[in-house]
Amino acid sequence: MKIIAKIAEGKIPKQFLEPFYYHVAMFGPLLKTDNFLLEFSDRNETTIEEREARVKINPNDSIFQDKDIIAPFICQEIVRIKTKQQIELPRTIEDIVCGRETAKIYPKEYFQLCYLEILKRKKVKSLEDFLKINKHWIILHPLDSYNSEFLKTLAMKINHQKKMDVLSAPFFTAIKNVLSSNEKLNKAVEAYENLMSDYYASS
């Protein structure tokens, strides 16, 4: 296994580098990957090509002003590598699955990460935006009902089309509870696909 961190100029600061090495080591035995790359980029993105996993982080993202959320963010992306290698899921559902596993490891810090992610969004322009802000309370729903409800209230205050609430309700019902079996996960995927179909058919 080879672990590489690189940046165009200078070095990746240790507040990013140390949790990257730590979480690769933590999940290493579960990952079918030969090479792990950490890069600074203009976006946050995790990809897998053959047996090489690449985690790109935008250090200018406002969420990283809070250094306490760097470790849970990187943990989430290493969990994402593991998840991608096990099952192919729609991105929103993948985010929720990875987020819940991470929130169990970093409950306080992950809540803060979710909070900061919601604060970044001032307006909902699409269904994808709507799901991005609502996934945070859904992640915490089976783990921390109090903070989940807080994030839900915050998300719902962001201006959006009211039809999104109605059309998303069956998906939220299917996804907000524990996905403890393939049957429940498959139902959540089906509800997501129905949501996409119904929303764009009505647009």
Side-chain angles (χ1 to χ4, degrees), residues 68-124:
D68 289 340
I69 63 90
I70 293 175
F73 180 88
I74 290 177
C75 178
Q76 173 183 261
E77 297 313 301
I78 302 301
V79 171
R80 189 183 305 279
I81 294 168
K82 176 172 69 73
T83 302
K84 283 179 176 293
Q85 292 174 337
Q86 294 172 344
I87 187 171
E88 184 176 348
L89 294 169
R91 176 57 188 250
T92 296
I93 299 178
E94 180 183 280
D95 286 346
I96 292 167
V97 169
C98 298
R100 284 183 182 162
E101 186 168 345
T102 306
K104 291 176 184 177
I105 301 171
Y106 294 98
K108 179 181 177 181
E109 296 85 353
Y110 197 81
F111 163 73
Q112 182 68 4
L113 171 58
C114 291
Y115 176 70
L116 292 174
E117 287 281 12
I118 292 176
L119 288 185
K120 283 166 51 176
R121 297 190 176 275
K122 306 300 182 185
K123 188 177 180 181
V124 170

Short mmCIF file of all heavy atoms in Angstrom, two decimals, residues 68-124:
data_model
loop_
_atom_site.label_atom_id
_atom_site.label_comp_id
_atom_site.label_asym_id
_atom_site.label_seq_id
_atom_site.Cartn_x
_atom_site.Cartn_y
_atom_site.Cartn_z
N ASP A 68 -11.35 21.61 13.82
CA ASP A 68 -11.85 20.41 14.47
C ASP A 68 -12.63 19.51 13.52
O ASP A 68 -12.85 18.33 13.84
CB ASP A 68 -12.74 20.77 15.66
CG ASP A 68 -11.95 21.33 16.83
OD1 ASP A 68 -10.72 21.10 16.88
OD2 ASP A 68 -12.55 22.00 17.70
N ILE A 69 -13.05 20.07 12.40
CA ILE A 69 -13.85 19.23 11.49
C ILE A 69 -13.01 18.62 10.37
O ILE A 69 -13.54 17.87 9.54
CB ILE A 69 -15.07 20.00 10.93
CG1 ILE A 69 -14.65 21.19 10.08
CG2 ILE A 69 -15.97 20.48 12.04
CD1 ILE A 69 -14.49 20.89 8.65
N ILE A 70 -11.72 18.89 10.34
CA ILE A 70 -10.87 18.32 9.30
C ILE A 70 -10.81 16.80 9.44
O ILE A 70 -10.96 16.06 8.45
CB ILE A 70 -9.45 18.93 9.34
CG1 ILE A 70 -9.51 20.41 8.95
CG2 ILE A 70 -8.51 18.18 8.39
CD1 ILE A 70 -8.18 21.14 9.08
N ALA A 71 -10.59 16.31 10.66
CA ALA A 71 -10.48 14.86 10.87
C ALA A 71 -11.78 14.13 10.49
O ALA A 71 -11.73 13.13 9.76
CB ALA A 71 -10.09 14.55 12.31
N PRO A 72 -12.96 14.58 10.95
CA PRO A 72 -14.18 13.88 10.53
C PRO A 72 -14.44 13.97 9.03
O PRO A 72 -14.97 13.02 8.44
CB PRO A 72 -15.29 14.55 11.35
CG PRO A 72 -14.72 15.81 11.85
CD PRO A 72 -13.25 15.57 12.00
N PHE A 73 -14.08 15.10 8.41
CA PHE A 73 -14.26 15.21 6.96
C PHE A 73 -13.41 14.17 6.24
O PHE A 73 -13.88 13.47 5.34
CB PHE A 73 -13.90 16.61 6.47
CG PHE A 73 -14.08 16.77 4.99
CD1 PHE A 73 -15.30 17.15 4.47
CD2 PHE A 73 -13.04 16.51 4.11
CE1 PHE A 73 -15.48 17.27 3.09
CE2 PHE A 73 -13.21 16.63 2.74
CZ PHE A 73 -14.43 17.01 2.23
N ILE A 74 -12.15 14.06 6.62
CA ILE A 74 -11.26 13.09 5.97
C ILE A 74 -11.71 11.67 6.28
O ILE A 74 -11.70 10.80 5.40
CB ILE A 74 -9.80 13.34 6.40
CG1 ILE A 74 -9.31 14.66 5.77
CG2 ILE A 74 -8.90 12.18 5.98
CD1 ILE A 74 -7.91 15.07 6.16
N CYS A 75 -12.13 11.42 7.52
CA CYS A 75 -12.66 10.11 7.87
C CYS A 75 -13.82 9.75 6.95
O CYS A 75 -13.90 8.62 6.43
CB CYS A 75 -13.10 10.11 9.33
SG CYS A 75 -13.84 8.57 9.89
N GLN A 76 -14.73 10.69 6.74
CA GLN A 76 -15.88 10.46 5.87
C GLN A 76 -15.44 10.06 4.46
O GLN A 76 -16.03 9.16 3.84
CB GLN A 76 -16.70 11.75 5.80
CG GLN A 76 -17.83 11.73 4.80
CD GLN A 76 -18.54 13.06 4.75
OE1 GLN A 76 -19.58 13.25 5.35
NE2 GLN A 76 -17.97 14.03 4.02
N GLU A 77 -14.39 10.69 3.95
CA GLU A 77 -13.95 10.39 2.59
C GLU A 77 -13.23 9.04 2.50
O GLU A 77 -13.32 8.37 1.47
CB GLU A 77 -13.06 11.53 2.07
CG GLU A 77 -13.78 12.86 1.96
CD GLU A 77 -15.14 12.74 1.27
OE1 GLU A 77 -15.17 12.29 0.11
OE2 GLU A 77 -16.17 13.07 1.90
N ILE A 78 -12.55 8.62 3.56
CA ILE A 78 -11.96 7.28 3.56
C ILE A 78 -13.06 6.23 3.66
O ILE A 78 -13.01 5.19 3.00
CB ILE A 78 -10.95 7.12 4.71
CG1 ILE A 78 -9.83 8.19 4.60
CG2 ILE A 78 -10.34 5.73 4.70
CD1 ILE A 78 -9.05 8.16 3.31
N VAL A 79 -14.08 6.52 4.46
CA VAL A 79 -15.26 5.63 4.52
C VAL A 79 -15.92 5.57 3.15
O VAL A 79 -16.41 4.51 2.72
CB VAL A 79 -16.25 6.12 5.59
CG1 VAL A 79 -17.57 5.35 5.50
CG2 VAL A 79 -15.66 5.97 6.98
N ARG A 80 -15.92 6.68 2.43
CA ARG A 80 -16.51 6.71 1.10
C ARG A 80 -15.79 5.76 0.15
O ARG A 80 -16.42 5.08 -0.68
CB ARG A 80 -16.49 8.14 0.53
CG ARG A 80 -17.29 8.31 -0.76
CD ARG A 80 -17.17 9.72 -1.31
NE ARG A 80 -17.53 10.74 -0.35
CZ ARG A 80 -18.80 11.08 -0.08
NH1 ARG A 80 -19.79 10.47 -0.70
NH2 ARG A 80 -19.04 12.03 0.79
N ILE A 81 -14.47 5.71 0.26
CA ILE A 81 -13.70 4.78 -0.57
C ILE A 81 -14.15 3.35 -0.29
O ILE A 81 -14.40 2.56 -1.21
CB ILE A 81 -12.19 4.94 -0.30
CG1 ILE A 81 -11.70 6.32 -0.77
CG2 ILE A 81 -11.39 3.83 -1.01
CD1 ILE A 81 -10.31 6.68 -0.30
N LYS A 82 -14.26 3.01 0.98
CA LYS A 82 -14.70 1.66 1.37
C LYS A 82 -16.10 1.38 0.83
O LYS A 82 -16.35 0.29 0.29
CB LYS A 82 -14.69 1.55 2.90
CG LYS A 82 -15.24 0.23 3.44
CD LYS A 82 -15.02 0.12 4.94
CE LYS A 82 -15.86 1.09 5.74
NZ LYS A 82 -17.29 0.68 5.76
N THR A 83 -16.98 2.35 0.96
CA THR A 83 -18.37 2.17 0.52
C THR A 83 -18.46 2.00 -0.99
O THR A 83 -19.19 1.13 -1.49
CB THR A 83 -19.23 3.37 0.97
OG1 THR A 83 -19.14 3.51 2.39
CG2 THR A 83 -20.67 3.20 0.57
N LYS A 84 -17.72 2.83 -1.73
CA LYS A 84 -17.73 2.74 -3.19
C LYS A 84 -17.26 1.37 -3.67
O LYS A 84 -17.72 0.86 -4.71
CB LYS A 84 -16.83 3.82 -3.80
CG LYS A 84 -17.42 5.22 -3.81
CD LYS A 84 -16.44 6.21 -4.42
CE LYS A 84 -17.02 7.61 -4.55
NZ LYS A 84 -18.12 7.69 -5.53
N GLN A 85 -16.33 0.77 -2.93
CA GLN A 85 -15.82 -0.53 -3.32
C GLN A 85 -16.79 -1.66 -3.01
O GLN A 85 -16.67 -2.76 -3.55
CB GLN A 85 -14.48 -0.79 -2.62
CG GLN A 85 -13.37 0.13 -3.11
CD GLN A 85 -12.08 -0.02 -2.33
OE1 GLN A 85 -12.07 -0.46 -1.18
NE2 GLN A 85 -10.97 0.36 -2.94
N GLN A 86 -17.77 -1.39 -2.16
CA GLN A 86 -18.73 -2.41 -1.76
C GLN A 86 -20.03 -2.35 -2.56
O GLN A 86 -20.62 -3.38 -2.87
CB GLN A 86 -19.04 -2.28 -0.27
CG GLN A 86 -17.86 -2.58 0.64
CD GLN A 86 -18.14 -2.25 2.09
OE1 GLN A 86 -19.08 -1.53 2.41
NE2 GLN A 86 -17.33 -2.78 2.98
N ILE A 87 -20.47 -1.13 -2.85
CA ILE A 87 -21.79 -0.97 -3.47
C ILE A 87 -21.85 0.36 -4.22
O ILE A 87 -21.24 1.34 -3.80
CB ILE A 87 -22.91 -1.02 -2.40
CG1 ILE A 87 -24.29 -1.03 -3.04
CG2 ILE A 87 -22.76 0.11 -1.40
CD1 ILE A 87 -25.41 -1.31 -2.03
N GLU A 88 -22.59 0.38 -5.31
CA GLU A 88 -22.79 1.61 -6.08
C GLU A 88 -24.12 2.22 -5.67
O GLU A 88 -25.17 1.57 -5.78
CB GLU A 88 -22.79 1.32 -7.58
CG GLU A 88 -22.90 2.55 -8.44
CD GLU A 88 -22.81 2.25 -9.93
OE1 GLU A 88 -22.42 1.12 -10.28
OE2 GLU A 88 -23.13 3.14 -10.73
N LEU A 89 -24.08 3.46 -5.17
CA LEU A 89 -25.28 4.12 -4.68
C LEU A 89 -25.39 5.51 -5.29
O LEU A 89 -24.39 6.12 -5.65
CB LEU A 89 -25.20 4.28 -3.15
CG LEU A 89 -25.21 3.00 -2.31
CD1 LEU A 89 -24.85 3.34 -0.86
CD2 LEU A 89 -26.57 2.32 -2.38
N PRO A 90 -26.62 6.04 -5.39
CA PRO A 90 -26.76 7.46 -5.75
C PRO A 90 -25.98 8.31 -4.75
O PRO A 90 -25.90 7.97 -3.56
CB PRO A 90 -28.27 7.70 -5.63
CG PRO A 90 -28.89 6.36 -5.79
CD PRO A 90 -27.92 5.39 -5.18
N ARG A 91 -25.43 9.42 -5.21
CA ARG A 91 -24.53 10.22 -4.36
C ARG A 91 -25.17 10.64 -3.04
O ARG A 91 -24.54 10.57 -1.98
CB ARG A 91 -24.05 11.45 -5.13
CG ARG A 91 -23.18 12.41 -4.32
CD ARG A 91 -21.95 11.72 -3.75
NE ARG A 91 -21.24 12.58 -2.82
CZ ARG A 91 -20.05 13.13 -3.08
NH1 ARG A 91 -19.45 12.91 -4.24
NH2 ARG A 91 -19.46 13.88 -2.18
N THR A 92 -26.43 11.05 -3.07
CA THR A 92 -27.08 11.49 -1.83
C THR A 92 -27.12 10.35 -0.81
O THR A 92 -26.83 10.55 0.38
CB THR A 92 -28.51 11.99 -2.11
OG1 THR A 92 -28.44 13.14 -2.95
CG2 THR A 92 -29.23 12.35 -0.82
N ILE A 93 -27.47 9.15 -1.25
CA ILE A 93 -27.55 8.01 -0.34
C ILE A 93 -26.15 7.61 0.11
O ILE A 93 -25.94 7.26 1.28
CB ILE A 93 -28.30 6.84 -1.01
CG1 ILE A 93 -29.73 7.27 -1.34
CG2 ILE A 93 -28.30 5.61 -0.10
CD1 ILE A 93 -30.55 6.21 -2.05
N GLU A 94 -25.20 7.66 -0.79
CA GLU A 94 -23.80 7.39 -0.42
C GLU A 94 -23.34 8.36 0.68
O GLU A 94 -22.71 7.95 1.66
CB GLU A 94 -22.91 7.53 -1.64
CG GLU A 94 -21.42 7.27 -1.37
CD GLU A 94 -20.59 7.50 -2.61
OE1 GLU A 94 -20.55 6.59 -3.47
OE2 GLU A 94 -20.00 8.59 -2.75
N ASP A 95 -23.68 9.64 0.52
CA ASP A 95 -23.32 10.63 1.53
C ASP A 95 -23.91 10.27 2.90
O ASP A 95 -23.25 10.42 3.93
CB ASP A 95 -23.84 12.01 1.13
CG ASP A 95 -23.03 12.64 0.00
OD1 ASP A 95 -21.93 12.15 -0.30
OD2 ASP A 95 -23.52 13.62 -0.59
N ILE A 96 -25.15 9.83 2.91
CA ILE A 96 -25.82 9.50 4.17
C ILE A 96 -25.21 8.27 4.81
O ILE A 96 -24.94 8.25 6.02
CB ILE A 96 -27.34 9.31 3.91
CG1 ILE A 96 -27.97 10.66 3.54
CG2 ILE A 96 -28.03 8.71 5.14
CD1 ILE A 96 -29.37 10.57 2.98
N VAL A 97 -24.93 7.25 4.02
CA VAL A 97 -24.31 6.03 4.55
C VAL A 97 -22.93 6.34 5.14
O VAL A 97 -22.60 5.93 6.26
CB VAL A 97 -24.19 4.96 3.44
CG1 VAL A 97 -23.31 3.80 3.89
CG2 VAL A 97 -25.58 4.45 3.05
N CYS A 98 -22.13 7.09 4.40
CA CYS A 98 -20.77 7.45 4.87
C CYS A 98 -20.83 8.39 6.07
O CYS A 98 -20.03 8.27 7.00
CB CYS A 98 -19.98 8.08 3.74
SG CYS A 98 -19.71 7.00 2.31
N GLY A 99 -21.77 9.32 6.02
CA GLY A 99 -21.90 10.27 7.12
C GLY A 99 -22.27 9.59 8.42
O GLY A 99 -21.73 9.94 9.49
N ARG A 100 -23.17 8.62 8.37
CA ARG A 100 -23.57 7.95 9.61
C ARG A 100 -22.43 7.15 10.23
O ARG A 100 -22.26 7.14 11.45
CB ARG A 100 -24.76 7.03 9.33
CG ARG A 100 -26.06 7.79 9.19
CD ARG A 100 -27.25 6.90 8.99
NE ARG A 100 -28.44 7.73 8.83
CZ ARG A 100 -29.57 7.31 8.30
NH1 ARG A 100 -29.67 6.06 7.89
NH2 ARG A 100 -30.60 8.12 8.21
N GLU A 101 -21.65 6.49 9.39
CA GLU A 101 -20.52 5.75 9.93
C GLU A 101 -19.52 6.71 10.57
O GLU A 101 -18.95 6.42 11.63
CB GLU A 101 -19.86 4.92 8.83
CG GLU A 101 -18.76 4.01 9.35
CD GLU A 101 -18.29 2.98 8.34
OE1 GLU A 101 -18.98 2.77 7.32
OE2 GLU A 101 -17.23 2.37 8.59
N THR A 102 -19.30 7.85 9.95
CA THR A 102 -18.37 8.84 10.49
C THR A 102 -18.90 9.48 11.76
O THR A 102 -18.16 9.71 12.71
CB THR A 102 -18.08 9.92 9.44
OG1 THR A 102 -17.64 9.31 8.23
CG2 THR A 102 -17.01 10.88 9.93
N ALA A 103 -20.20 9.77 11.79
CA ALA A 103 -20.80 10.42 12.95
C ALA A 103 -20.72 9.55 14.20
O ALA A 103 -20.71 10.06 15.32
CB ALA A 103 -22.25 10.79 12.65
N LYS A 104 -20.66 8.25 14.02
CA LYS A 104 -20.51 7.35 15.17
C LYS A 104 -19.12 7.48 15.78
O LYS A 104 -18.93 7.28 16.99
CB LYS A 104 -20.76 5.90 14.75
CG LYS A 104 -22.20 5.60 14.38
CD LYS A 104 -22.35 4.18 13.89
CE LYS A 104 -23.78 3.89 13.43
NZ LYS A 104 -23.91 2.51 12.89
N ILE A 105 -18.14 7.83 14.95
CA ILE A 105 -16.76 7.97 15.41
C ILE A 105 -16.51 9.36 15.97
O ILE A 105 -15.82 9.53 16.98
CB ILE A 105 -15.78 7.67 14.26
CG1 ILE A 105 -16.00 6.25 13.72
CG2 ILE A 105 -14.33 7.85 14.71
CD1 ILE A 105 -15.24 5.95 12.44
N TYR A 106 -17.10 10.37 15.31
CA TYR A 106 -16.91 11.78 15.69
C TYR A 106 -18.27 12.45 15.90
O TYR A 106 -18.66 13.33 15.11
CB TYR A 106 -16.15 12.53 14.61
CG TYR A 106 -14.74 12.10 14.38
CD1 TYR A 106 -14.40 11.22 13.35
CD2 TYR A 106 -13.71 12.60 15.18
CE1 TYR A 106 -13.08 10.84 13.13
CE2 TYR A 106 -12.39 12.22 14.97
CZ TYR A 106 -12.09 11.35 13.94
OH TYR A 106 -10.79 10.98 13.73
N PRO A 107 -19.04 12.09 16.91
CA PRO A 107 -20.40 12.64 17.04
C PRO A 107 -20.46 14.16 17.16
O PRO A 107 -21.25 14.81 16.46
CB PRO A 107 -20.94 11.96 18.31
CG PRO A 107 -19.74 11.44 19.04
CD PRO A 107 -18.72 11.13 17.98
N LYS A 108 -19.66 14.74 18.02
CA LYS A 108 -19.70 16.19 18.24
C LYS A 108 -19.15 16.94 17.02
O LYS A 108 -19.77 17.88 16.53
CB LYS A 108 -18.88 16.55 19.48
CG LYS A 108 -18.84 18.04 19.78
CD LYS A 108 -18.00 18.31 21.02
CE LYS A 108 -17.90 19.81 21.28
NZ LYS A 108 -17.04 20.10 22.47
N GLU A 109 -17.99 16.50 16.54
CA GLU A 109 -17.35 17.18 15.42
C GLU A 109 -18.14 17.03 14.12
O GLU A 109 -18.18 17.94 13.31
CB GLU A 109 -15.93 16.65 15.22
CG GLU A 109 -14.99 16.93 16.38
CD GLU A 109 -15.06 15.88 17.48
OE1 GLU A 109 -15.95 15.00 17.42
OE2 GLU A 109 -14.23 15.94 18.40
N TYR A 110 -18.79 15.87 13.96
CA TYR A 110 -19.54 15.67 12.71
C TYR A 110 -20.80 16.55 12.70
O TYR A 110 -21.19 17.06 11.64
CB TYR A 110 -19.92 14.21 12.50
CG TYR A 110 -20.31 13.95 11.07
CD1 TYR A 110 -19.34 13.77 10.09
CD2 TYR A 110 -21.64 13.96 10.67
CE1 TYR A 110 -19.68 13.58 8.76
CE2 TYR A 110 -21.99 13.79 9.35
CZ TYR A 110 -21.01 13.60 8.40
OH TYR A 110 -21.36 13.43 7.08
N PHE A 111 -21.42 16.72 13.85
CA PHE A 111 -22.55 17.66 13.92
C PHE A 111 -22.08 19.05 13.49
O PHE A 111 -22.77 19.74 12.73
CB PHE A 111 -23.13 17.71 15.33
CG PHE A 111 -23.98 18.92 15.55
CD1 PHE A 111 -25.25 19.02 14.98
CD2 PHE A 111 -23.52 19.99 16.30
CE1 PHE A 111 -26.03 20.15 15.16
CE2 PHE A 111 -24.29 21.13 16.48
CZ PHE A 111 -25.55 21.21 15.91
N GLN A 112 -20.92 19.48 13.96
CA GLN A 112 -20.40 20.79 13.60
C GLN A 112 -20.13 20.87 12.09
O GLN A 112 -20.40 21.89 11.46
CB GLN A 112 -19.11 21.08 14.38
CG GLN A 112 -18.49 22.45 14.11
CD GLN A 112 -19.31 23.62 14.61
OE1 GLN A 112 -20.35 23.42 15.26
NE2 GLN A 112 -18.87 24.83 14.33
N LEU A 113 -19.63 19.80 11.51
CA LEU A 113 -19.40 19.75 10.07
C LEU A 113 -20.72 19.93 9.32
O LEU A 113 -20.82 20.72 8.37
CB LEU A 113 -18.75 18.42 9.69
CG LEU A 113 -18.62 18.09 8.19
CD1 LEU A 113 -17.82 19.17 7.48
CD2 LEU A 113 -17.98 16.73 8.01
N CYS A 114 -21.76 19.23 9.76
CA CYS A 114 -23.08 19.35 9.12
C CYS A 114 -23.61 20.78 9.25
O CYS A 114 -24.16 21.35 8.28
CB CYS A 114 -24.06 18.38 9.78
SG CYS A 114 -23.73 16.64 9.44
N TYR A 115 -23.46 21.35 10.41
CA TYR A 115 -23.93 22.72 10.67
C TYR A 115 -23.25 23.72 9.73
O TYR A 115 -23.91 24.56 9.11
CB TYR A 115 -23.64 23.06 12.13
CG TYR A 115 -23.98 24.48 12.52
CD1 TYR A 115 -25.31 24.91 12.60
CD2 TYR A 115 -22.99 25.39 12.84
CE1 TYR A 115 -25.62 26.22 12.97
CE2 TYR A 115 -23.28 26.69 13.21
CZ TYR A 115 -24.60 27.10 13.27
OH TYR A 115 -24.90 28.38 13.64
N LEU A 116 -21.93 23.60 9.61
CA LEU A 116 -21.18 24.52 8.74
C LEU A 116 -21.53 24.33 7.28
O LEU A 116 -21.58 25.30 6.51
CB LEU A 116 -19.68 24.34 8.96
CG LEU A 116 -19.15 24.76 10.33
CD1 LEU A 116 -17.67 24.39 10.48
CD2 LEU A 116 -19.36 26.25 10.56
N GLU A 117 -21.79 23.10 6.87
CA GLU A 117 -22.17 22.84 5.48
C GLU A 117 -23.51 23.50 5.15
O GLU A 117 -23.69 24.06 4.06
CB GLU A 117 -22.25 21.33 5.23
CG GLU A 117 -20.91 20.63 5.16
CD GLU A 117 -20.20 20.80 3.82
OE1 GLU A 117 -20.63 21.64 3.01
OE2 GLU A 117 -19.22 20.08 3.59
N ILE A 118 -24.45 23.43 6.08
CA ILE A 118 -25.75 24.07 5.84
C ILE A 118 -25.61 25.59 5.78
O ILE A 118 -26.23 26.25 4.94
CB ILE A 118 -26.77 23.66 6.93
CG1 ILE A 118 -27.12 22.17 6.80
CG2 ILE A 118 -28.05 24.49 6.83
CD1 ILE A 118 -28.04 21.65 7.88
N LEU A 119 -24.79 26.15 6.66
CA LEU A 119 -24.62 27.60 6.69
C LEU A 119 -24.05 28.15 5.39
O LEU A 119 -24.26 29.32 5.05
CB LEU A 119 -23.71 28.00 7.85
CG LEU A 119 -24.28 27.89 9.27
CD1 LEU A 119 -23.28 28.43 10.27
CD2 LEU A 119 -25.62 28.62 9.40
N LYS A 120 -23.32 27.32 4.65
CA LYS A 120 -22.74 27.76 3.38
C LYS A 120 -23.80 28.06 2.34
O LYS A 120 -23.57 28.83 1.41
CB LYS A 120 -21.80 26.68 2.82
CG LYS A 120 -20.46 26.60 3.47
CD LYS A 120 -19.73 25.31 3.10
CE LYS A 120 -19.68 25.06 1.62
NZ LYS A 120 -18.89 23.83 1.29
N ARG A 121 -24.96 27.46 2.48
CA ARG A 121 -25.99 27.56 1.44
C ARG A 121 -27.01 28.63 1.80
O ARG A 121 -27.69 28.54 2.81
CB ARG A 121 -26.66 26.21 1.23
CG ARG A 121 -25.66 25.17 0.75
CD ARG A 121 -26.32 23.88 0.31
NE ARG A 121 -25.30 22.99 -0.21
CZ ARG A 121 -24.86 22.99 -1.46
NH1 ARG A 121 -25.37 23.84 -2.33
NH2 ARG A 121 -23.92 22.15 -1.85
N LYS A 122 -27.09 29.62 0.96
CA LYS A 122 -28.02 30.73 1.18
C LYS A 122 -29.31 30.55 0.37
O LYS A 122 -30.32 31.18 0.66
CB LYS A 122 -27.36 32.06 0.79
CG LYS A 122 -26.03 32.32 1.48
CD LYS A 122 -26.17 32.36 3.00
CE LYS A 122 -24.84 32.67 3.64
NZ LYS A 122 -24.92 32.61 5.13
N LYS A 123 -29.25 29.70 -0.65
CA LYS A 123 -30.38 29.56 -1.56
C LYS A 123 -30.37 28.18 -2.19
O LYS A 123 -29.31 27.62 -2.45
CB LYS A 123 -30.28 30.65 -2.64
CG LYS A 123 -31.48 30.76 -3.55
CD LYS A 123 -31.29 31.92 -4.52
CE LYS A 123 -32.48 32.07 -5.44
NZ LYS A 123 -32.29 33.19 -6.40
N VAL A 124 -31.54 27.64 -2.42
CA VAL A 124 -31.69 26.35 -3.08
C VAL A 124 -32.10 26.59 -4.52
O VAL A 124 -33.17 27.14 -4.79
CB VAL A 124 -32.75 25.47 -2.37
CG1 VAL A 124 -33.06 24.23 -3.19
CG2 VAL A 124 -32.25 25.07 -0.98
#
